[in-house]
Amino acid sequence: MDLVVEGRAWYKGKLQHVCIGIENGRIARVKKVLKGERQLDFNDRIILPGAIDVHTHMREPGMTRKEDFSTGSVAAAFGGVTCFFDMPNTKPQSIHRDDVMEKKELASKKSWVDFGLFGGVSDASNPQRIADQVVGFKIFMSSTTGSVLLSEDKDIRRAMDLIKPTKKVVSVHAEDEHLLIKREEASIRDHAEARPRRAEASAIERLAQFSQQNKVNICHVTSLEGLEALSKGAFTSEATPHHMLLDIASCGRKGFCKVNPPLRPKSDKEALLAAFASGKISLLASDHAPHTVEEKEQEFDSAPSGVPGVETSFPLMMALARKERIGLGVLIKAACETPAQLFGLNKGAIEEGKDADLMVLDPRIVTSIVPRNLHSKCGWTPFEGQEAIFPQAVFLRGQLLVEEGGLVGERNGRDVVAKRRVAA
Ligand code: NCD
Ligand code: ZN
C-alpha cells in the first residue's frame, strides 16, 4: 500500500473510523487497520470524497482577466472540489472540435484538479462531432453572459435529437427567453422582475417533452414555481449556494449579486434550501461565474451577471450540515456521489476501486468567509462573512494537494473524459 489515510471517513453511508489504503491513485482497500509505506492519521477529523462541481465558468480561453484554469482550479482545490466541469461560453465558444481540443490542451496544462468540458450547441452545429471529448452538453434557452441561444423548440429538438445517440447529459440554462422583460434595470429587484420565476417554470415545462429521450439536467433552479415544474418531467436538477443562501434583500452592493437566473425573495430561497435538504435536488453546483470588481462596479444595467463560488460552495453547505440544517448524507450525495454517477466518473465515493480524491475537515473549525483568503482571480465573493468549514487537507488521486492552507502537491489535473486525440 503506497499510502494509508486514517480518520472518520464517510464509508458505506455513515462516518466510521477506518483506514483508506491507496495504490496508484486509487482506493485499494478500506479496513479498520491497514499498514502503508506512508501513514497519515487524521484522528477524529472527518474524511469525505472530493466534491465534483458540475457547473463552473473558468473563463479560459478569452476572458482570463476574470479567471483562468490555474487560478480557478486552485480555488476549486481549496474548496474541496477535486473535479470541476467547465461551461462552453468562453471565447471562442466550445462548440467546434478544434476549439474544444484547444481548451482541453489549456486545461490539461494548467489545472490543479481533474476536469471535464461541456460542449456548446448552436442551431447549426453538430454535437456528435465533439461528443467523445465532452462530459456533457450545455444549452442556453435564454440570453445570458456570452451565451449561444437556443430559445425555440425546433432548435432545441434538433439539438436533443442529435445528442440522443451520444447518451450524454444535456444541462440546460432554463429560463424562457420569450418571457424575459427587456428594459433598463437599476437594482437586484428589477433584475428579478425582468427574469421572472414564470420564465423558469415555463422553460422547464417546455423541456419535459425531451426528458424521456435525453438525460436533461436543469441548471440552477431558483424558485417555488421552478421546483414544481420539475415534477413534469424526468429531470435531474442543480441548486447553487447563492440561490439557497442569498436573496434579493441580502445583497445591496451595486451589481455584485446580479446573476442569472436572479436571486429571489426570501420565501423562494427557503423553499429551495428545504428542497435540497429533503434530497429533491440532484446536484450541488456553484455556477462559479467570476467577473472582475471593475466590471461589477459599473452601473447596474451594464454590470455582467454571475457570481464566483467554486471555493465556497462545499464549505458553506458543510457549515449548514454541522448545524443540522441539512444532513451530511444528503450533501455528500449531491456534491460527490450523484455527479459521479450521472456523468459516469470513477469518483465521488470512498470505495475500493474509486479515484482517491479526498478532503479532510474538522467540523469544529468554522470560519467566516474573507475575500482575501480566497483564490479566484476575481478577488471578491458574495458570501463575505458567512460561516464555512473549509477542508484542511485535499488529495487528488492519492496526491496531497492542499495542506494547512497551502498548496503542496504538483499540478496534475486530468480530463475525465478521453485521452487527447488528433482532431478528426
Ligand atoms: C454566467 C456567466 O457569467 O458565464 N452568468 C450567470 O449569471 N450565471 C452565464 C450563465 O450561466 O448564465
Ligand atoms: Zn452557468
Side-chain angles (χ1 to χ4, degrees), residues 50-51 53 58 69-84 111-114 310-312 314-315 358-361 375-376 390-396 399-403 405-410:
D53 191 336
M58 294 303 188
F69 281 120
S70 181
T71 52
S73 65
V74 169
F78 278 97
V81 171
T82 46
C83 179
F84 66 85
S111 184
W112 289 81
V113 299
D114 288 350
V310 70
E311 185 167 359
T312 48
F314 193 87
L358 306 169
M359 64 171 128
V360 181
L361 313 125
H375 299 81
S376 166
F390 286 92
Q392 295 176 324
V394 176
F395 295 82
L396 176 70
Q399 298 281 322
L400 198 55
L401 192 56
V402 169
E403 193 185 23
L407 205 56
V408 294
E410 284 172 21

Side-chain angles (χ1 to χ4, degrees), residues 55 57 59 89 138 140 144-145 173 259-260 287 289 291 305-306:
H55 191 152
H57 302 264
R59 307 303 193 200
N89 58 333
K138 174 73 180 276
F140 291 94
T144 181
T145 320
H173 183 119
V259 61
N260 296 336
D287 189 12
H291 296 286
S305 291

